[in-house]
Amino acid sequence: MLNVNSYRVYLEKLVSENSSNIFVNGGIEYASVFISLLLSKANNSVNMFCEGLNPQMMGREEVFNAFQNSINSGVRFRILMEKKDYMGGEPFTFASKHENVEIRCARAEDLEMIDKVLGPGRCNFSVCDNKMVRLEVKPEEYKAVGSFNKPDW
C-alpha cells in the first residue's frame, strides 16, 4: 500500500490526466486526501449522502479547508444526512450559513431508496459535477472506491 503522500501524488495525477480509473482507499488519512481533492476539484455541484458532516472527518484541516473554499467559491452543495448527531459541529454550522448549501435529514423513504439501489447496509457517497464519485462502502473504516471522471462500473 502507498504511503499517504504517495497516494496524494497518485490521485493528483489521476485528476490532471482526467482519468476514469477506479481506485480505493481505507483509513481516515487516505479518505481525507480523497475527499479534500474531490471538494477542491468540484466546479458546479457536490451531492452527498453521509452520516452527518461528522467533525472527525469533515473537521480535519485539509478537508474542512477544501469544504470552505468550495462553498465560498459558489459550488452548489446538496447534503442528505442520515443522522442529526453532528448538527452542532463546525462543518454543519459553517455550511448551514450559506445559500448555496442545502442540508436535510434523510426520511425513511430516502433510506429505503438508497438501500434498494446500493444494497442493504450503511454507506456514504459523494458525486461532484456529475462525474467525480466516492462510494464509502465501510464507513467505520473509511473504506471507499472512487473515480475522478465518470467511472464505468
Side-chain angles (χ1 to χ4, degrees):
M1 178 176 223
L2 297 173
N3 67 41
V4 174
N5 289 331
S6 296
Y7 184 69
R8 180 185 318 279
V9 169
Y10 172 69
L11 293 187
E12 288 172 349
K13 181 177 181 230
L14 292 178
V15 169
S16 71
E17 294 174 349
N18 205 26
S19 172
S20 61
N21 284 2
I22 295 169
F23 52 90
V24 298
N25 78 263
I28 196 167
E29 295 86 8
Y30 292 86
S32 178
V33 169
F34 187 0
I35 292 169
S36 63
L37 273 172
L38 278 176
L39 296 175
S40 67
K41 299 303 178 186
N43 294 311
N44 301 305
S45 65
V46 174
N47 298 294
M48 2 172 63
F49 172 70
C50 58
E51 185 180 14
L53 296 179
N54 183 345
Q56 184 176 359
M57 172 55 71
M58 295 304 292
R60 292 176 70 84
E61 182 177 1
E62 173 178 40
V63 176
F64 191 59
N65 287 343
F67 186 59
Q68 287 179 306
N69 291 339
S70 190
I71 289 172
N72 287 336
S73 72
V75 172
R76 175 88 177 132
F77 276 74
R78 290 178 196 91
I79 303 168
L80 182 62
M81 299 187 328
E82 186 177 11
K83 300 176 182 177
K84 296 180 181 182
D85 296 359
Y86 306 109
M87 291 178 84
E90 187 176 12
F92 178 87
T93 302
F94 173 80
S96 65
K97 294 178 182 176
H98 292 81
E99 291 183 13
N100 56 319
V101 180
E102 175 187 335
I103 304 173
R104 73 176 177 86
C105 287
R107 300 175 306 238
E109 56 266 25
D110 298 324
L111 298 174
E112 287 172 16
M113 178 60 73
I114 291 168
D115 280 351
K116 183 177 178 183
V117 173
L118 296 175
R122 203 173 144 268
C123 70
N124 297 324
F125 58 84
S126 300
V127 179
C128 304
D129 293 343
N130 292 321
K131 69 175 189 172
M132 298 181 284
V133 179
R134 181 173 188 272
L135 175 61
E136 191 172 61
V137 293
K138 288 190 176 178
E140 65 281 359
E141 298 174 20
Y142 298 96
K143 187 171 270 187
V145 60
S147 176
F148 289 105
N149 187 28
K150 297 183 182 176
D152 182 23
W153 48 16

